[in-house]
Amino acid sequence: MTCADTSSSAAFAAKHSPIWYRTRRMLHRSFINVFLLTALAATIIPIYWMIATSLKTTAQMVVSPPLVVFSPTIENYLALAGRSRWLLRNLINSVSITALTSVLTLFFGSMAGFSFSRYRFPGHRFLSFTILWTRTLPPIVAIVPLFLWMSDMGLVDSHLGLSLIYTALNLPFAVWMLKNFFDGVPIQLEEAAMIDGCSRIGAYRRVTIPLAAPGMAATAIFVGVLAWNEFMFALIFTNVRAKTLPVVVMESIVEDKLYWMDMATIGTIIMLPMFLFAVIIYRHLVKGLSFGAMK
Amino acid sequence: MADASWPRGLPQRARRRIRSISISRLQLLGYSLLVPSFAIITVILIWPSVQNIALSFFDFRLPQRHHMVFVGFDNYIRLLFEDRLFHRAFINTSIFVVGSVTLQFVLGFAIALALATKSHWFRRITGPIFTLPYMISPAVVGLTWRLMWHYNLGLINGALSWVGLEPVRWLSTPELALFAVIITEVWRNTPFMTIILVAGLISLPVEPYESATIDGASAWQRFKWITMPFLIPTITVGLLLQTVFAIRVFGIVFTLTGGGPGNATLPLGILLYRQTFRYFQGGYSAALAIVMLVVGLVVSFGYLSLLKKGGETT
């Protein structure tokens, strides 16, 4: 008995000796670091590659194997600016459709999010799940009838039409994100404001909105990003007047020949604002998309 | 006495107002705030989807709606039992969904776990970088990777040649093209999984870990008995969303391969697009859309029942 005891405690001591502990932790840590570095590299390299391509000349582009180090030039951007009339128009389309979608979604979504966050009514749970569940329906199912009635109403190839579609697509996530952010504002603050003489609307305007503002801004950006990037509906529901940039970049494929410079240049223009937005909304995204709290 | 010490005027009026609003009026307000959102979703998505069910029983060419012929289940029978292209697209989509969602989950979970061991500021800096691919338009992602996989100009074949391997025809070999499409999708969508899992991980309560460590639980035991049960709802919702999004994949494949070579990477979404906007097959494409809807519904109910079962046992 005693013998077994000493041997096991010796094994215990060996296993938990400071040196073993430290090496194991170091190995563990460096494994995690290598993994994260690889993942970071895999994330960045394609993005770098597109930006690099947009800064290459045709001669630098067609070298095989590809050049990783080269002297960058903004020639492609200047060339694009030279024939920029159509592109500028598409850029304006993209910006205005994105803005309109964000405004519509935030306005209606914050009403619903506030309702889910503050009021308890019969069917609350059912309705809040239903709205998230509509996001799992493939919107492609709606396309044929939607296209037919929108063309009857003259909404095909219009800013309003596309924005309305994006609003409907984004409302489910937006409502849930906004609900999560409103949940973060203590209801006691609103009550205090009302006791101090604010109306219900006044309490909402003076207390709730300022406190939930960062979250609302993050939601607006999140929605805007989706609208800015959306491809399928933009391809189907626009021809000329409301065509957005993702459709334009797709058109750099002409008869199976890709104009790589055009693609990379326009692609970089589409992507650049996202760098900024990713930094701004990452933290709020983590908070807003915690669906785990819905159990 | 406390009441008497209150100043006259506004506060009392406010208090009276709070008391006077009956619960049913508040509930009515709650409902009415939901109306615009539900109205927009219904008009744009739900009602056309319902109409689509009706259209799927007719035969018609798309621009006109006047020569609609009722054909019953003919469209579905043709689609499910005769259309080889549909079978091809169904198989492609299945492989694509299983492959990409599995990889996204494994990678996303691994990155989230690794990030959770890191300090707060490390997450703040690398988090946005990890999020970036998810914030790039699918059209741009597809074209970027078209360049990455390119035989002569692509970085991947470039990397292969630097280590002395033969270049590979990624996008013109059927099996490899599907693989390339899956990897591209994984590159773009893993961040979504990472974000919601990081959100789940950093909101875990600390106390169970402390008591488990005191009780001598190993890291693996803590992961299995504390982390996983807490994360199951998050994981289920994440997998559900990723799966239904993968079933309807469109933009990335459309710009990366266009469904080719042949129809080796043709997913249901592009097949539907072609039937609708290139061949103008009204009823037939409506039936195809309904089939996609049903597949998505079956999958999401499967996940949700899994979630319920998990909720009961834990």
Side-chain angles (χ1 to χ4, degrees), chain A residues 102-124:
Chain A
S102 294
V103 169
L104 288 175
T105 311
L106 202 66
F107 186 74
F108 296 125
S110 62
M111 286 165 72
F114 187 77
S115 169
F116 282 135
S117 169
R118 287 294 187 264
Y119 300 112
R120 290 289 170 271
F121 40 80
H124 176 280

Side-chain angles (χ1 to χ4, degrees), chain B residues 154-191:
Chain B
L155 195 59
I156 291 166
N157 277 348
L160 288 181
S161 78
W162 289 324
V163 296
L165 293 171
E166 288 294 304
V168 177
R169 293 196 179 277
W170 295 106
L171 294 181
S172 45
T173 317
E175 294 80 18
L176 290 179
L178 195 53
F179 170 79
V181 167
I182 289 174
I183 296 296
T184 309
E185 166 84 0
V186 168
W187 182 79
R188 181 176 132 89
N189 278 355
T190 300

Side-chain angles (χ1 to χ4, degrees), chain B:
Chain B
M1 280 321 278
D3 272 86
S5 69
W6 276 42
R8 300 259 146 216
L10 274 181
Q12 289 226 329
R13 220 170 57 210
R15 267 154 44 104
R16 214 176 308 132
R17 187 162 51 217
I18 291 170
R19 215 174 283 143
S20 75
I21 293 176
S22 62
I23 290 176
S24 67
R25 256 186 73 194
L26 270 183
Q27 288 179 337
L28 209 64
L29 184 61
Y31 284 125
S32 58
L33 287 174
L34 299 178
V35 169
S37 293
F38 276 95
I40 291 177
I41 293 175
T42 306
V43 170
I44 304 281
L45 293 176
I46 310 288
W47 177 239
S49 301
V50 173
Q51 277 182 302
N52 202 55
I53 299 176
L55 289 182
S56 70
F57 295 111
F58 289 88
D59 188 29
F60 65 104
R61 305 282 297 170
L62 249 186
Q64 340 100 351
R65 272 159 282 170
H66 311 297
H67 308 290
M68 292 183 35
V69 184
F70 183 79
V71 292
F73 281 95
D74 257 22
N75 287 326
Y76 290 98
I77 292 167
R78 257 171 66 209
L79 189 69
L80 293 174
F81 301 111
E82 290 160 25
D83 189 346
R84 299 284 285 278
L85 205 56
F86 169 76
H87 296 161
R88 179 76 255 164
F90 191 86
I91 293 168
N92 287 342
T93 310
S94 309
I95 298 171
F96 175 83
V97 169
V98 173
S100 63
V101 173
T102 310
L103 275 175
Q104 279 162 30
F105 173 65
V106 172
L107 282 174
F109 204 8
I111 295 172
L113 283 173
L115 279 177
T117 67
K118 290 291 173 185
S119 66
H120 187 61
W121 66 264
F122 184 90
R123 279 203 301 271
R124 276 279 187 86
I125 293 170
T126 55
I129 301 176
F130 278 121
T131 318
L132 256 182
Y134 192 64
M135 297 178 70
I136 302 175
S137 174
V140 179
V141 171
L143 291 172
T144 304
W145 279 85
R146 196 165 170 158
L147 180 58
M148 293 285 291
W149 298 111
H150 194 276
Y151 183 72
N152 294 317
L153 312 172
L155 195 59
I156 291 166
N157 277 348
L160 288 181
S161 78
W162 289 324
V163 296
L165 293 171
E166 288 294 304
V168 177
R169 293 196 179 277
W170 295 106
L171 294 181
S172 45
T173 317
E175 294 80 18
L176 290 179
L178 195 53
F179 170 79
V181 167
I182 289 174
I183 296 296
T184 309
E185 166 84 0
V186 168
W187 182 79
R188 181 176 132 89
N189 278 355
T190 300
F192 186 78
M193 209 69 208
T194 310
I195 290 177
I196 64 171
L197 286 174
V198 166
L201 278 172
I202 60 180
S203 63
L204 291 179
V206 189
E207 296 83 15
Y209 287 91
E210 285 171 348
S211 48
T213 315
I214 291 169
D215 290 346
S218 69
W220 167 246
Q221 284 171 326
R222 271 174 290 164
F223 176 76
K224 191 178 167 198
W225 297 107
I226 306 175
T227 312
M228 281 311 277
F230 270 117
L231 276 186
I232 288 284
T234 312
I235 292 174
T236 313
V237 174
L239 283 176
L240 165 68
L241 290 173
Q242 296 287 58
T243 310
V244 296
F245 289 159
I247 291 172
R248 66 179 81 143
V249 65
F250 183 82
I252 286 183
V253 185
F254 193 87
T255 47
L256 182 64
T257 63
N263 291 309
T265 59
L266 184 78
L268 290 171
I270 293 180
L271 178 65
L272 177 53
Y273 173 80
R274 279 191 199 164
Q275 293 291 355
T276 313
F277 293 98
R278 208 178 288 166
Y279 306 124
F280 304 110
Q281 301 263 353
Y284 197 63
S285 56
L288 176 53
I290 296 299
V291 170
M292 282 180 75
L293 174 71
V294 170
V295 171
L297 285 182
V298 168
V299 168
S300 47
F301 282 123
Y303 275 119
L304 288 182
S305 67
L306 219 73
L307 183 65
K308 272 218 185 97
K309 223 193 262 166
E312 276 158 19
T313 51
T314 49

Side-chain angles (χ1 to χ4, degrees), chain A residues 171-186:
Chain A
L171 270 171
F173 271 175
V175 168
W176 267 87
M177 286 177 75
L178 289 162
K179 175 195 176 296
N180 283 352
F181 290 124
F182 285 132
D183 284 345
V185 178

Side-chain angles (χ1 to χ4, degrees), chain A residues 2 10 13 48 54 59 72 90 110 131 139 169 179 199 224 231 241 243 253 278 284 286 288:
Chain A
T2 43
Y48 163 78
S54 78
N90 297 318
S110 62
I131 204 165
L169 289 178
K179 175 195 176 296
S199 64
F231 175 67
R241 281 181 295 143
K243 203 197 289 176
I253 316 175
H284 299 288
V286 168

